[in-house]
Each structure stands twice: as structure tokens, then as C-alpha cells.
Amino acid sequence: LADNEKEDVVLQLDNRISRLEGALRLEEKITASGRKIFATNGKKADFYTAVQECSQAGRTIATPRSEGENTAVLRLVQRYNTYAYLGIKEALIPGKFRSLGGAELNYTHWHAREPSGKGEE
């Protein structure tokens, strides 16, 4: 494709993505923070199913790295009146938590006496 044709294709794709994001925002299926988009299908699942479904969609389960990202996830939690799994797991050292990939957490906003690993962090 010529450069101008490539630009047209990119603009068309950008427009379609923007319209899809708008529709999903209206349905409150997605929310954003910065350049990240957090999404849900609204279905209840166990942790491992949620991780697998995110992976099949080419993404990962949410691991908030800032107050804004935490707030974006919280919006979805409030919308569906449920909890959300996060991409965080207890490390080999009890009471220490890491991302699913093993990285140290650089942002946490736990409830009092948390994390406990019991699902109410």
C-alpha cells in the first residue's frame, strides 16, 4: 500500500476502535486510566478462569500500578456489585505479595490488616 493508503487504513481503524470503546463505555464494560483500558464481561468466575480468559483475549488480569488504575478497577467492581481478582499473588514468603509475573509491587492500597490472602484485600 502507498503511504496515503496506509494512513487512510490507520485512520479508519482508529475511528472504529474509538466507536467500539465508546459503545463499551456506555455499557459500562470498560473504564480507562491513562493509556490502560480495564474491561469486564460481567460474568462471575474463579481466579484461574479469569486469568485464562484474560490470556485468551490477549491480555492480563488487572494489576493496578497507581491510584488512577485502582479507581478504574473499583468502578467496575461497583458497577457489578462484586469483587475483582487482581494479578497479584502471595510470594513464597508469607505475607509478601507480588505480581503474577513475579515482580515486586510498586503500588498497593490495601484495607487495614491486609493483605491476608483470603480475598478481601
Side-chain angles (χ1 to χ4, degrees):
L1 294 174
D3 285 342
N4 60 344
E5 289 175 310
K6 288 179 187 176
E7 282 182 39
D8 286 344
V9 169
V10 168
L11 287 173
Q12 289 172 12
L13 289 172
D14 189 46
N15 183 274
R16 289 182 73 187
I17 289 168
S18 292
R19 287 186 305 173
L20 287 170
E21 284 181 3
L24 290 170
R25 277 193 178 95
L26 284 174
E27 293 291 320
E28 298 181 0
K29 299 274 187 190
I30 67 170
T31 186
S33 176
R35 298 188 62 169
K36 286 187 180 178
I37 294 175
F38 298 89
T40 183
N41 61 12
K43 297 178 184 174
K44 293 191 185 274
D46 62 49
F47 178 76
Y48 297 102
T49 300
V51 170
Q52 184 179 27
E53 287 187 7
C54 287
S55 178
Q56 288 173 348
R59 299 293 173 231
T60 61
I61 197 162
T63 306
R65 291 186 168 86
S66 69
E67 184 68 27
E69 291 179 12
N70 195 58
T71 300
V73 173
L74 183 58
R75 273 189 229 116
L76 294 173
V77 166
Q78 291 169 336
R79 162 72 167 102
Y80 289 93
N81 193 29
T82 189
Y83 55 85
Y85 294 116
L86 299 176
I88 297 169
K89 64 180 179 180
E90 194 163 13
L92 295 175
I93 301 167
K96 289 281 193 178
F97 287 76
R98 296 186 169 273
S99 73
L100 291 181
E104 282 193 41
L105 302 178
N106 60 4
Y107 169 82
T108 59
H109 188 73
W110 307 116
H111 285 294
R113 293 181 294 284
E114 297 291 356
S116 65
K118 295 178 181 165
E120 297 180 7
E121 283 71 23

